[in-house]
């Protein structure tokens, strides 16, 4: 078989001689996407014994991660444009692994320093807000930045063999599926089994192993320039701004639709964890499918931009229709609200088709946008910068939508109007789509070489450094750690699926044992309490150890 055909199947140029396959790049994107969500969930649970898990704490975690991703995408696009290859991808993953390992080992002492024990119990709200914001920024902000840089680096390295659009679609789809795995697996599997710090540590190990594999596969990286050879076309800075605006509108609409879906389904199915888990799963799976379709269109259709604009307009129409049809459809899928467990069973069976029909279809159509935007913008800006700009703008749009929908739109204008505004945003994205005559997105067999491309070269320090990082992350995962938080007299700490529980024994004044313990003299009593998350002076339940048969709870309610 000719060498060029083999290289195209592998997703690399014929002259590149890199053994990294499309499957390997997709695996790296999947690992980065999963690690981002593991870090987000675990960071909240690490700080929960001090700050709790209120909506303010979660808002800080989501905001910090998204705001770290946006510049990370732009940074990855910038260094990829300058010729960074598999080695830079491996280094970014290795540094992210070190950051996650450091968060696993240093997270508890850091949070304890930010929220001292003498003010942690019944702490003022500002402490929870500012403390959790600072803790999340320090714990997972740098790792999220580095993991985001991986995506445009992978797009740039796959583009010569796949074309810009298909490379972007492959990386975006794999990263989204990784996010789904991290979002579902962390609270359901990792934290109950390993704890928050164990989840961070083993995510670090996974990133380190992927980094080592990337460095090994790219040990003879010719550092080919990722910029496409296609001449710049009409558009320039104007097209760049229009593309970024369109990507931001699409990203913001995704999160607005996600929150609107919860409100639309709530009257029939509730707004608890099962409903939210179903909505998040539907959003991520359909977005990943849309990314793949968009990449395929970008590679096969010369005027894929027309298809993308049409997809956005159909998505707008579908969202507008959902605004008026969701009560009837939800009622048809959940015709009665049976009491007790029957209602839960009925909702569990109906919420998935309702979410798919009402919101899965527009999410699928929105997912096609980013790969085609990358392809169109790469004609004038290069593949690397195009991928970084589109991913960053979409992420910033998601940040805005994440706060705009629950804080302003849904409370002030309601679900139907929110869906109508989302539809208008998609129409605006279709109108603002950059008007550029994109060059052919066919794979390039001879991308531009950098000045230092003198054939295969070995990086002597990269693989040993990767091995050291892998060993360090393994030590972080395997070495024992004490409790997240330890109060005076604490006997036991356990991380459950929902809370961090502590059993604490203390001596306090209470009724002395006697025939009438509630009305007699007082004495020092030994008590054992069950506390959870940020509680220090309050408790979930209490046991009086001295003369328990007569004292019971010594006048307390629990």
């Amino acid at each position: 078989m000719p060498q060029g055909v083999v290289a195209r199947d592998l997703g690399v140029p014929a002259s590149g001689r890199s053994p990294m396959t499309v499957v390997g790049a997709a695996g790296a994107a999947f690992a980065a996407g999963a690690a981002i969500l593991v870090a987000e969930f675990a960071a909240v649970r690490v700080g929960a014994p001090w700050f709790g898990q209120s909506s303010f704490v979660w808002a800080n975690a989501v905001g910090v991660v998204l705001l770290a991703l946006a510049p990370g995408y732009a940074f990855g696009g910038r260094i990829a444009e300058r010729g960074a290859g598999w080695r830079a991808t491996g280094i970014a993953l290795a540094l992210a692994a070190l950051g996650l390992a450091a968060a696993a080992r240093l997270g508890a002492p850091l949070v304890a320093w930010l929220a001292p024990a003498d003010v942690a119990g019944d702490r003022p709200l500002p402490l929870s807000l500012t403390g959790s914001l600072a803790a999340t920024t320090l714990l997972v902000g740098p790792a999220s930045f580095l993991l985001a840089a991986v995506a445009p680096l992978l797009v740039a390295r796959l583009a010569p063999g796949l074309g810009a659009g298909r490379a972007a679609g492959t990386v975006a789809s794999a990263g989204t599926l990784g996010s789904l795995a991290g979002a579902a697996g962390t609270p359901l599997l990792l934290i109950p089994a390993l704890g928050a710090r164990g989840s961070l540590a083993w995510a670090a190990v996974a990133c380190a192993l992927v980094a080592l594999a990337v460095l090994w596969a790219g040990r003879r990286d010719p550092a080919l320039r990722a910029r496409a050879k296609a001449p710049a076309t009409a558009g320039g800075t104007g097209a760049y701004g229009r593309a970024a605006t369109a990507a931001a509108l699409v990203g913001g609409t995704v999160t607005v639709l996600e929150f609107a879906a919860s409100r639309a389904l709530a009257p029939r199915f509730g707004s608890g964890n099962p409903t939210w888990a179903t909505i998040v799963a539907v959003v991520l799976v359909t977005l990943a499918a849309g990314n793949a379709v968009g990449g395929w269109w970008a590679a096969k259709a010369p005027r894929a931009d027309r298809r993308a604009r049409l997809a956005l307009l159909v998505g707008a129409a579908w969202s507008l229709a959902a605004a008026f049809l969701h009560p009837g459809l939800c009622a048809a899928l959940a015709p009665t609200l049976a009491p007790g467990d029957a209602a839960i069973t009925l909702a569990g069976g109906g919420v998935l088709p309702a979410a798919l029909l009402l919101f899965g279809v527009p999410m699928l159509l929105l997912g096609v946008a980013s790969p085609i935007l990358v392809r169109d913008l790469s004609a004038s800006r290069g593949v690397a910068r195009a991928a970084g700009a589109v991913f960053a703008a979409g992420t910033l749009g998601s940040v805005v939508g994440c706060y705009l929908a629950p804080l302003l739109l849904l409370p002030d204008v309601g679900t139907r109007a929110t869906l109508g505004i989302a539809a208008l945003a998609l129409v605006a994205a279709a109108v603002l789509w950059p008007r550029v005559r994109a060059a052919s997105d066919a794979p390039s067999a001879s991308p531009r070489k950098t000045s230092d491309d003198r054939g295969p070269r070995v990086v002597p320090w990269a693989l040993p450094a990767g091995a050291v990082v892998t060993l360090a992350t393994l030590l972080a995962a395997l070495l024992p750690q004490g409790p997240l938080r330890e109060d005076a007299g604490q006997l036991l700490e356990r991380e459950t699926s929902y809370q961090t529980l502590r059993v604490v024994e203390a001596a306090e004044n209470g009724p002395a044992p006697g025939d009438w313990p509630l009305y007699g003299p007082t004495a020092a009593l030994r008590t054992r309490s069950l506390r959870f998350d940020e509680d220090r002076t309050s408790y979930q339940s209490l046991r009086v150890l001295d003369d328990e048969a007569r004292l019971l709870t010594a006048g307390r309610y629990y």
Side-chain angles (χ1 to χ4, degrees), residues 337-446:
L337 292 178
D341 294 338
I344 297 174
T345 303
L346 183 63
V351 66
L352 178 58
L356 280 171
L357 290 172
L358 291 171
F359 301 99
V361 174
M363 291 294 178
L364 175 69
L365 296 170
L366 267 62
V368 307
S370 60
I372 299 175
L373 273 174
V374 171
R375 189 205 70 164
D376 289 355
L377 196 59
S378 66
S380 59
R381 289 283 174 165
V383 175
R385 286 191 66 186
V390 170
F391 293 162
T395 302
L396 289 175
S398 297
V399 175
V400 174
C402 191
Y403 290 96
L404 187 65
L407 299 181
L408 181 63
L409 294 180
L410 289 170
D412 291 349
V413 302
T415 305
R416 281 196 175 96
T418 299
L419 290 170
I421 292 171
L424 288 176
L426 293 181
V427 172
V431 172
L432 289 172
W433 197 278
R435 300 296 193 270
V436 296
R437 188 180 300 278
S440 172
D441 200 39
S444 170
S446 56

Side-chain angles (χ1 to χ4, degrees), residues 46-59:
V46 166
W50 289 268
F51 305 123
Q53 299 183 66
S54 69
S55 57
F56 301 103
V57 173
W58 272 106

